[in-house]
Amino acid sequence: MAILPFYKKVDIFTKQSEEAKKFSKELKTWLESKNIQSNIFENLSDLEKEENLKGTDLLVVVGGDGSLLITARRVAKFQIPIIGVNLGRLGFLTEINEDDAFEELETILSKPLCISKRMMLRVNLLREGNKILEADVLNDVVVNKAILARIVDVSVYVGDRYITTYNGDGIIVSTPNGSTAYALSAGGPIVYPMMEVFVLVPICPHTLTDRPIILPTLEPITIKMVSKEKDAWLTLDGQEGTQIFYGDEIVVKQSPYYAHIVRTPHKNYFDILREKLNWK
Ligand SMILES: NC(=O)c1ccc[n+]([C@@H]2O[C@H](COP(=O)([O-])OP(=O)(O)OC[C@H]3O[C@@H](n4cnc5c(N)ncnc54)[C@H](O)[C@@H]3O)[C@@H](O)[C@H]2O)c1
Ligand SMILES: Nc1ncnc2c1ncn2[C@@H]1O[C@H](COP(=O)(O)OP(=O)(O)OP(=O)(O)O)[C@@H](O)[C@H]1O
């Protein structure tokens, strides 16, 4: 299978483990042998510089799902297509296995890229009317209590319409992409990743009739901290955490950016669900 001549630059972002770095070097050598220019990025700050990714046709993430999430958050604004080679554990999002990596990449680069555009969330944390934080995430925005806290109360609104006040361990706002992560563990539905909806999932709600809700992205979701509990946290993609306080408001909208995840021709979404979730 011949690699198409218009692929000129395929960069690599590697997890900082010896195994991933070694694999990344082998991948760079292989790409260069095919006349494709390649840089290895090890530091997150490298992904923030647009000049590093100038002309990049594809960014290969060598690591686990966490590395892919980190990369997606940083490069979404540059609309760079990304694909993961799994050197982590589950590898739900990093769908190429290490053993098949060269063969799979050769197949992918012998055709125009098949890209699955995944919606992202834009989250704003407001404190006394001031914006404390703004970020774009691919999986989820989570408000939860810390380990020793008993319960957290959050009131949730769609636009300016009040839904309810959840009392429990917290609340997740997930994208369809993130629906198979924390939201699934908390009893949420699997949502086909190309859909554009918000998935609102309470975590261990005290009111047993509080069930997950799927909402359109037309209006923002606002989560207000109404308990005086001090041990509550806002977590983005399970990776960036900020302590939150009574009166704080978390506003979640659809981000203007999408993650451009490249699909392998050999697996569809249901193959991944069966393989990774141990279905028959
Ligand atoms: N109880 C839980 O299930 C739980 C608790 C905290 C966070 N998380 C999830 O972990 C995510 C961050 O992942 P990480 O890899 O940086 O941390 P991690 O290594 O702690 O990941 C937790 C697990 O979730 C998997 N995962 C991540 N995104 C996924 C997705 N979209 N679909 C299916 N599985 C996915 C990872 O492979 C890993 O096995 C968060 O976005 C959150 O959804 C899950
Ligand atoms: N180059 C990097 N620089 C800084 N931090 C990184 C880098 N690559 C990965 N990380 C961090 O290391 C964490 C672990 O990596 P990753 O999730 O990819 O591996 P894993 O936990 O083995 O796999 P999985 O998430 O599939 O279980 C990531 O969540 C991310 O926070």
Side-chain angles (χ1 to χ4, degrees):
M1 214 166 288
I3 290 182
L4 294 178
F6 57 72
Y7 293 116
K8 303 248 184 275
K9 187 169 178 261
V10 174
D11 291 323
I12 302 164
F13 177 72
T14 181
K15 178 166 120 172
Q16 293 199 336
S17 73
E18 287 314 311
E19 190 196 4
K21 285 187 199 170
K22 181 169 172 281
F23 179 85
S24 297
K25 279 188 195 145
E26 286 165 16
L27 180 56
K28 177 178 158 74
T29 306
W30 179 80
L31 288 163
E32 286 171 347
S33 76
K34 308 275 177 195
N35 291 322
I36 296 175
Q37 188 193 332
S38 180
N39 302 302
I40 300 176
F41 301 120
E42 287 184 15
N43 298 312
L44 293 172
S45 57
D46 294 333
L47 297 178
E48 270 143 25
K49 295 175 196 138
E50 196 169 5
E51 65 269 23
N52 283 345
L53 296 167
K54 210 165 170 205
T56 302
D57 298 304
L58 176 65
L59 181 61
V60 181
V61 178
V62 176
D65 289 332
S67 302
L68 191 121
L69 291 168
I70 277 195
T71 307
R73 287 202 301 280
R74 280 169 178 75
V75 307
K77 57 181 174 297
F78 308 133
Q79 299 189 27
I80 308 277
I82 56 180
I83 191 155
V85 175
N86 185 27
L87 270 88
R89 290 163 296 171
L90 180 65
F92 192 94
L93 303 171
T94 48
E95 56 182 83
I96 299 183
N97 297 323
E98 186 184 358
D99 293 343
D100 315 326
F102 296 112
E103 202 181 316
E104 288 275 15
L105 284 168
E106 185 140 16
T107 309
I108 287 167
L109 295 171
S110 67
K111 301 185 178 83
L113 297 178
C114 170
I115 293 175
S116 166
K117 274 177 74 183
R118 311 261 166 115
M119 71 163 271
M120 298 178 73
L121 304 175
R122 171 155 295 177
V123 56
N124 275 282
L125 170 60
L126 307 177
R127 183 165 300 150
E128 291 166 2
N130 299 314
K131 194 194 287 185
I132 302 289
L133 174 157
E134 180 175 80
D136 293 305
V137 304
L138 177 56
N139 262 358
D140 42 33
V141 170
V142 178
V143 172
N144 60 7
K145 69 177 192 68
I147 298 167
L148 292 178
R150 288 185 304 277
I151 222 163
V152 66
D153 303 330
V154 289
S155 296
V156 182
Y157 299 74
V158 173
D160 56 8
R161 302 189 307 283
Y162 172 65
I163 305 181
T164 190
T165 298
Y166 295 96
N167 319 111
D169 284 2
I171 186 109
I172 304 168
V173 184
S174 167
T175 60
N177 184 83
S179 69
T180 43
Y182 197 176
L184 189 66
S185 307
I190 294 173
V191 184
Y192 200 74
M194 277 141 88
M195 296 187 71
E196 299 195 12
V197 290
F198 296 133
V199 186
L200 186 68
V201 184
I203 308 166
C204 298
H206 195 246
T207 305
L208 296 178
T209 51
D210 282 340
R211 308 303 302 160
I213 311 180
I214 297 186
L215 293 162
T217 57
L218 295 170
E219 293 176 284
I221 296 178
T222 301
I223 300 167
K224 291 187 186 171
M225 266 291 288
V226 292
S227 57
K228 299 222 160 93
E229 184 58 69
K230 287 206 173 62
D231 270 347
W233 289 83
L234 169 66
T235 311
L236 309 179
D237 278 350
Q239 296 176 336
E240 289 173 32
T242 310
Q243 193 169 9
I244 53 172
F245 301 95
Y246 173 73
D248 282 358
E249 291 187 14
I250 294 115
V251 182
V252 182
K253 298 180 184 163
Q254 180 166 2
S255 167
Y257 303 132
Y258 287 80
H260 291 68
I261 308 284
V262 174
R263 302 300 326 277
T264 64
H266 296 128
K267 281 185 202 166
N268 65 44
Y269 185 62
F270 301 107
D271 296 327
I272 294 170
L273 288 177
R274 277 198 309 281
E275 181 188 329
K276 303 295 180 184
L277 303 185
N278 294 320
W279 293 357
K280 283 194 198 137

